[in-house]
Amino acid sequence: EAQVTQNPRYLITVTGKKLTVTCSQNMNHEYMSWYRQDPGLGLRQIYYSMNVEVTDKGDVPEGYKVSRKEKRNFPLILESPSPNQTSLYFCASSFDKNTEAFFGQGTRLTVV
Amino acid sequence: QKEVEQDPGPLSVPEGAIVSLNCTYSNSAFQYFMWYRQYSRKGPELLMYTYSSGNKEDGRFTAQVDKSSKYISLFIRDSQPSDSATYLCAPYTGNQFYFGTGTSLTVIP
């Protein structure tokens, strides 16, 4: 089954404690991206990756890092999480930037 | 000014009603216009998309774009309880998606 898998689905952490949210896709897609979804603000792109070892900032990259060492994986790293990063995070992948994005199930992160 | 404006609702309609969901946008560079559906506790999934102005129909769903007024619409005919979800418009420049905040729809049996 074609899918984008995120882990964990739910995470509560404390300010400053580094965390990683993993994302994996099994569709051999080249394009992957991370979004955060907040009430009243909709989905905002954090980072995207056109291919292995190619990443670029989206609209709200501050406080986040990503890496793309393999085609299937695109982890999101919060080196020092802060409460304003409490949000619902989605990973998405697509064949290229012009085609349909497939979204993961989401990761609800709470930073206290 | 936001790139995309979408009425968040919530919208509640009886089963069988015709539903109209709308967005306005400000960027003339938008070329594609996507509609995503997001069920509670799930990620968004692509419902349909149009390119440039005009209508596109897919079953009970019709997407409409009026580039002259920068207005995007999604119509749902014979709405069903299974249509209850949040609908996100997502215009696309060819380089980046811009998502609306979503309209929450509930179809009451």
Side-chain angles (χ1 to χ4, degrees):
Chain A
E1 180 188 354
Q3 59 185 6
V4 178
T5 304
Q6 293 178 231
N7 279 297
R9 291 289 311 278
Y10 301 92
L11 179 61
I12 301 174
T13 191
V14 296
T15 299
K17 186 176 181 181
K18 181 179 177 181
L19 66 92
T20 299
V21 184
T22 64
C23 174
S24 180
Q25 51 94 2
N26 63 359
M27 295 168 278
N28 202 35
H29 285 165
E30 294 188 345
Y31 188 87
M32 297 184 75
S33 55
W34 276 102
Y35 292 85
R36 60 179 289 174
Q37 188 174 33
D38 302 288
L41 297 175
L43 279 161
R44 294 179 293 167
Q45 192 178 57
I46 303 170
Y47 268 94
Y48 64 93
S49 169
M50 303 282 280
N51 212 327
V52 175
E53 302 291 4
V54 180
T55 63
D56 210 344
K57 296 177 181 178
D59 294 319
V60 288
E62 294 78 21
Y64 304 95
K65 283 175 57 178
V66 292
S67 69
R68 188 90 181 274
K69 294 184 171 57
E70 306 165 280
K71 199 172 188 179
R72 63 182 292 127
N73 295 324
F74 189 44
L76 179 70
I77 303 154
L78 283 73
E79 294 271 3
S80 183
S82 62
N84 65 12
Q85 292 178 297
T86 293
S87 186
L88 180 58
Y89 291 86
F90 288 102
C91 178
S93 76
S94 56
F95 187 71
D96 59 41
K97 65 177 184 175
N98 293 319
T99 53
E100 174 189 355
F102 292 84
F103 284 82
Q105 297 279 61
T107 296
R108 184 164 293 282
L109 172 66
T110 302
V111 183
V112 297
Chain B
Q1 184 185 9
K2 285 184 181 178
E3 296 276 2
V4 184
E5 298 277 0
Q6 185 174 9
D7 186 340
L11 192 58
S12 185
V13 301
E15 184 175 354
I18 296 174
V19 177
S20 172
L21 305 168
N22 308 295
C23 291
T24 58
Y25 64 92
S26 56
N27 190 343
S28 298
F30 289 140
Q31 300 175 27
Y32 296 87
F33 301 88
M34 316 280 191
W35 281 97
Y36 280 81
R37 178 174 60 195
Q38 185 175 18
Y39 290 112
S40 181
R41 303 179 190 277
K42 301 282 189 182
E45 55 180 354
L46 183 67
L47 190 60
M48 58 192 305
Y49 72 91
T50 57
Y51 175 70
S52 193
S53 282
N55 292 358
K56 183 174 182 180
E57 192 171 314
D58 185 0
R60 297 185 293 109
F61 298 88
T62 300
Q64 190 174 78
V65 177
D66 182 346
K67 293 188 81 174
S68 62
S69 59
K70 297 187 175 67
Y71 199 78
I72 315 164
S73 299
L74 178 70
F75 299 97
I76 307 174
R77 290 184 300 281
D78 187 26
S79 55
Q80 302 295 309
S82 59
D83 295 329
S84 298
T86 296
Y87 291 81
L88 304 155
C89 62
Y92 180 60
T93 62
N95 192 53
Q96 185 175 352
F97 288 96
Y98 290 87
F99 285 88
T101 53
T103 299
S104 175
L105 171 68
T106 300
V107 180
I108 303 168

